[in-house]
Structures are given as C-alpha cells and as structure tokens.
Amino acid sequence: MDRLIATGFGLGYLRPASGTWASAATILLGYALHRIGHFPLVALATVAAILAGFWSVRRWTAGMADKDRSEIVIDEVAGQLIALCATSAGFWFAGLPPDVVPWPGLVVPFVLFRLFDIWKPWIIGRADRRADAAGVMLDDIWAGVFAAVCSVVAAGISHGLM
C-alpha cells in the first residue's frame, strides 16, 4: 500500500516527467473535488495527501539509498493540492458556486507549482537537499506554498487591474 500511495497510484511510472504528469492529474482531481465539495473538500484532500505522503515515502524508501526516486509523486500531488487550495479558497470566500472555476484559477497554480518545483529557490532547494524521506515531501510542500502565495498575488493584481 505504501508503494501504491508513494507512486500516486501508478502515475509515477509515466514517462517522461512523471512529476508533471502527477501535477496535471492532480489539477483534474482538485477541480473535481472543488466541484463536489468546494474548498473544504480540497483542503481535506490536501491534508490527507500530505499525511499519506509522509507515511508512504518513509515506509517505502526505508533501507533505500536513494530516497527521492523519480517514481515517487505523492509529493507532487500534495504540493499541487496546496497550490490549488489558494484558488479554491478564493472562490469559496468570494461566494462563487462550486461549478464556477475560471481557467486561470487552474492553470496559474499548475504553472507556478511546476516552476517552483523545478527551479527550487531558497528554502525549497534546502529541503530538496535533505537526504531523508521528509525532504522528498518538504520541497514540494514549500513549492506548493510558494505557488499558492504567488497565485493569490497574481489574482489580486489581475482583478485589481481589470
């Protein structure tokens, strides 16, 4: 079960760019969750993905020299959901119905998360350099936080100019 969760139910075996595939699938999952249960369900799924990620990565990579294997994508799922929480929360707090999700609200968090996950500035890079299972999760959690904050800023600028 730990391997199944760590690989994002097999998404980690897609090539090339398994992390991007997992992030794209998570956008679809996040969109569906938002439509079903709005921000509270997206937030709940985010917490579940983070907890499941720490558990599964630690268990599956125990005894392995390389903890950050390319097929492990639960970290991307968790980070992408964090980025999507900003969009989902914004729509929820604005009182929009769950079926209203303008495309920039999905594309911007995706692009920003992938950018921060690949670029790894500052604390994201430090977390990535850890040689343990927690580091596998932490760099993507930080990338998700950065993407969420930048998504909120971008939405504020966009709506402020329009």
Side-chain angles (χ1 to χ4, degrees), residues 10-134:
L11 286 171
Y13 296 109
L14 294 175
R15 298 287 182 258
S18 58
T20 301
W21 284 108
S23 292
T26 303
I27 290 291
L28 297 176
L29 172 66
Y31 175 68
L33 292 171
H34 177 83
R35 291 205 48 163
I36 294 167
H38 227 306
F39 171 64
L41 187 56
V42 176
L44 183 64
T46 302
V47 171
I50 291 169
L51 294 175
F54 276 108
W55 175 82
S56 66
V57 171
R58 181 182 48 80
R59 286 184 44 104
W60 189 45
T61 62
M64 293 181 183
D66 180 15
K67 305 286 187 204
D68 199 1
R69 304 166 59 95
S70 63
E71 64 268 17
I72 296 173
V73 294
I74 187 64
D75 51 335
E76 273 83 9
V77 171
Q80 188 64 75
L81 281 171
I82 291 169
L84 280 174
C85 271
T87 295
S88 184
F91 294 150
W92 189 56
F93 287 119
L96 296 174
D99 61 333
V100 175
V101 181
W103 67 266
L106 298 173
V107 173
V108 170
F110 173 78
V111 170
L112 289 171
F113 173 72
R114 293 309 302 147
L115 173 72
F116 286 120
D117 188 29
I118 293 166
W119 177 28
K120 300 193 186 310
W122 186 47
I123 197 167
I124 302 169
R126 272 196 285 171
D128 186 59
R129 289 188 291 276
R130 291 177 55 146
D132 59 0

Side-chain angles (χ1 to χ4, degrees), residues 131-147:
D132 59 0
V136 173
M137 290 296 297
L138 288 173
D139 74 307
D140 290 283
I141 288 171
W142 280 115
V145 169
F146 279 44

